[in-house]
C-alpha cells in the first residue's frame, strides 16, 4: 500500500504529520541565519574599531550641548497627544483594508457595511471629543 502524500489523510483517517513542520523549519533556519548575520556584524565591528578611551569620549553627549545642571526638563504634552491621535487613525487604516476585502466577498455586504459605520462612528466620537477638549488646536 502506498503512503499518502504529506499532510493528507491516509485511508485510516489520520493525517500524515511528516511534512507538517517543513515550512516552520524554513522559518527557523532563516531566523537562525538572521541572528548569526547580526552577531557576525557586531563581532566584526568590535574587532575592527579602535578603542582609545579619553575623558571627552566618556562624557554624556546630547545634541552637541555639554551637560550642565539637572537632567530635569519640561516636555510639551501636546506632542504626545498628536502622536496618540496618529496611532488611532493608523489603527483605523489597518482595519479598513481587510474590511474592504471582506466587503467585496458575496453575502457579506450589508453586515460589514453596518459594522464599518459603527466603527467609524466610534472614531468620529473620539475625534469630536478631542476637538471639544481643544486638543486639535495648535498653540
Amino acid at each position: 500500500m502506498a503512503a499518502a502524500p504529506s499532510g493528507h489523510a491516509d485511508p485510516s483517517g489520520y493525517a500524515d504529520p511528516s511534512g507538517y513542520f517543513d515550512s516552520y523549519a524554513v522559518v527557523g533556519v532563516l531566523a537562525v541565519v538572521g541572528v548569526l548575520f547580526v552577531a557576525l556584524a557586531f563581532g566584526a565591528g568590535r574587532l575592527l574599531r579602535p578603542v582609545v578611551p579619553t575623558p571627552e569620549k566618556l562624557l554624556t553627549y546630547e545634541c552637541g550641548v555639554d551637560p550642565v545642571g539637572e537632567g530635569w526638563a519640561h516636555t510639551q504634552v501636546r506632542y504626545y497627544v498628536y502622536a496618540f491621535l496618529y496611532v488611532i487613525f493608523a489603527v483605523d487604516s489597518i482595519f479598513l483594508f481587510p474590511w474592504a476585502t471582506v466587503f467585496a466577498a458575496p453575502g457579506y455586504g450589508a453586515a460589514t457595511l453596518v459594522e464599518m459605520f459603527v466603527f467609524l462612528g466610534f472614531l468620529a466620537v473620539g475625534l469630536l471629543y478631542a476637538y471639544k477638549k481643544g486638543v486639535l488646536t495648535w498653540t
Side-chain angles (χ1 to χ4, degrees):
M1 178 187 264
S6 67
H8 292 83
D10 62 3
S12 65
Y14 293 104
D16 180 18
S18 64
Y20 182 73
F21 292 108
D22 288 344
S23 57
Y24 290 112
V26 172
V27 172
V29 168
L30 283 174
V32 168
V33 168
V35 168
L36 286 176
F37 182 74
V38 170
L40 182 71
F42 276 114
R46 174 169 253 181
L47 289 174
L48 297 174
R49 72 176 179 235
V51 180
V52 185
T54 62
E56 289 83 17
K57 286 184 179 180
L58 298 176
L59 277 177
T60 304
Y61 179 78
E62 182 67 33
C63 300
V65 179
D66 290 331
V68 177
E70 298 179 16
W72 182 259
H74 293 285
T75 307
Q76 295 290 333
V77 176
R78 67 175 174 237
Y79 300 119
Y80 295 109
V81 173
Y82 287 120
F84 185 65
L85 288 173
Y86 169 76
V87 168
I88 288 172
F89 288 106
V91 169
D92 173 36
S93 66
I94 290 171
F95 283 118
L96 281 175
F97 287 114
W99 171 80
T101 59
V102 171
F103 182 69
Y108 290 103
T112 56
L113 186 65
V114 169
E115 288 174 1
M116 187 47 63
F117 276 115
V118 168
F119 178 69
L120 290 175
F122 281 122
L123 285 175
V125 167
L127 187 61
L128 182 65
Y129 176 77
Y131 176 75
K132 290 284 186 182
K133 289 294 253 181
V135 171
L136 302 177
T137 57
W138 188 266
T139 56

